[in-house]
Amino acid sequence: MRLLFATTLLALSSAASADKQWGFADGSVTFAAKGGEPVTEKFTLKVRAKNQVDLGHTSTLKLSLTAEEGGTAKRPHQAFLVLRETTSGLEAPFPLTIKESGKGSVKLTQKDLPVQLLNSAAPLEAKVVLGSFGASKAIVASVFDINVVRDPSSVNTYEAPLRYGKRPEIHHIFRGDPKNPPKIVSLAFAAAVLAAIPVLFISWLVLGANLNHAGKALSAAPVSHAVFYGSIVAMEGVFFLYYSSWNLFQTLPAIAIVGVVAFLSGNSALGEVQQRLLMTYPPPYSAFRFPSLDETLNHPGFPGAKWDLIPDSQGKASVAKDRSGPIDISWQMHGHGPIKIVLIMGLAASMNAWQRQTCYFGHDHADKYTMLLLDNRGVGSSDKPLARYTTTEMAADVVEVLDQIGWTAPRSCHVVGMSLGGMIAQELACAHPHRVRSLTLLCTTAALESDRPVLETLCDRFHLLRPKGLERIIHDTATRLFPRAWLVAPDEAAGLPSPHTTRRCGPSPSSSSSTPAAAAASTTMLKPNDSGVDLSPLSAGSMAEALEKGLDLDGAGTVRESGAYRRFGSNYQRYQAEEMTKYYPPNVFSRQGLLCQLAAVVGHRKSASQLRDMADAVGRDRILVLHGTEDRMIGANNGEKLIRMIKPAVGLIVDGMGHAPIMERAAWFNELMETRLAAWSQMD
């Protein structure tokens, strides 16, 4: 309860010396019973009210005054009417409502008083307390007495306050440590634990274990295999110790440590086993060996992995100024034809991934097509802010780039999006259907769904994102993007550009390589007569071996002209080289950007009704949806569902095709797009 209030405030305020003092003027107290005439008593700072104030059970008391500081009316920070029982010293404060002019008042009835004061036999002393911050001294002035006239028909009672004192001592009784069960139970448990190892071993043999591979496994990855099997035995030992002697707090840290070691070492060991299993494919796959990073880096064709296709114009557009920006989006324009194509790339890939289409449409057929390439936020030469990316925001970035380059006419843009780019293209078409002349959605989804079990899907996603070396990252990504048959096939590249015949194409920079290793390799270029490769027609696989060593031969069996772009030993090696250009200067890859773009993929959701409305607005005869059955990045079930929702004029699920038809089936894809673009361009 509010006790000894005035005394405490006065003690605090008296600590400061002051030249001025708080006071009041025009002090009065008015009281009246319900329906009766009010009675007013005056008082000052030094003179109390003459008469005692009676506060009945129907009466209302009102105190009024004007607060002053050093004789000037002013509003104090603290202003209270304090009622005090003189016998016990109990006090109750009631704050005054004070205006800036210093005028203040407070109203009281018996309902406002604590029960202790209501039951007081002696009159209550009323005091005015005024104080504030600063040097002025606070005051506590006794101004009148109040006689509480109780209602005879009501009885006010209260419980005596609880007084803390000595209490009976509390005795805690703890249970003793649990005793071990009978020995027979312990032995049965130990036998069950130990039996797990031979059961696993027998199951392994029944499933067709080959003990001859144990030596290969231990020689290929001795540490990971030994640690993995050791961690399994160690986990059994931890369980045994928990049952026999350890408590829970000793066991849990041990389980956590052994579990992490088992997971990491097992993942590495199984990766080595998987690599050996890949070598058991039937010919020609069994003879294929994935090249290392050093081999590809030293390949004479590596400096030309990224084709020097000179754009007709390029720049950076500042977008999202009112959307947590600004963000600079890098763009290039290739070609000068009337058919305008906007290409939107997928997760963590730059505009360079479109180079096969850029060469074909923007350079070989530049008079018919104008291609707009751009790096999405988070990749390439565009800004990579740490923020929450959404496909809606990324689509708005594309629209702002189109506005800034002047592609604003209705039905002027053929929009092509792959993977994440397809999700962005959906958002663009939903928001601005009148600007889309045609919409091509490649290997994408309305909302990411997996056709595999949940646990397998989670493990697969973790495997994709867990820390790995660059060589492993590229290998794992390639096997998810492309069918193995295509990876091991000789490099196609859909027709290499030529600096002599391809419009606005610079030479391969092999003579001024971007890495010292590649530069050294280019200075010691192999010739047909000193390569050590048998190029005779009777030599099986001689051409593949020549390409792997960097011999780029024409029909006459001589090295191509200076500055020519070279083929690699396989499609995998070309993809590996193209991916490596993201990690070597100029660096276009950012793990931060990858994670932000991945959040946009996970958050993408377009309902069937939204896509139907979009298709109605764009026109189903202007939409192409393409997906492959061997797509391990976004399963074919996503493409099938997208076709069912949109019902496009052309919906293709291609047997045996992976996630990137622009590379895997570049010539076929370019021909398909050329046919569709011609048809779409004829539509009104």
Side-chain angles (χ1 to χ4, degrees), residues 347 460-468 591 594-595 598:
L347 178 69
D460 186 61
R461 296 290 184 264
F462 176 80
H463 181 71
L464 180 65
L465 294 175
R466 71 178 179 85
K468 293 177 284 189
R591 178 167 288 273
L594 166 66
L595 296 177
L598 188 60

Side-chain angles (χ1 to χ4, degrees), residues 29 66 102 140 177 189 209 214 231 263 343 350 430 479 497 499 584 616 624:
V29 57
T66 300
V140 178
D177 293 334
F189 179 82
S231 62
F263 177 80
L343 300 177
S350 69
C430 287
T479 55
Y584 291 96
D616 290 338
L624 164 64

Side-chain angles (χ1 to χ4, degrees), residues 606-626:
K606 301 308 291 182
S607 65
S609 60
Q610 288 175 310
L611 293 176
R612 282 195 299 267
D613 293 342
M614 178 273 290
D616 290 338
V618 173
R620 287 175 172 79
D621 54 348
R622 300 175 182 269
I623 301 178
L624 164 64
V625 178
L626 176 65

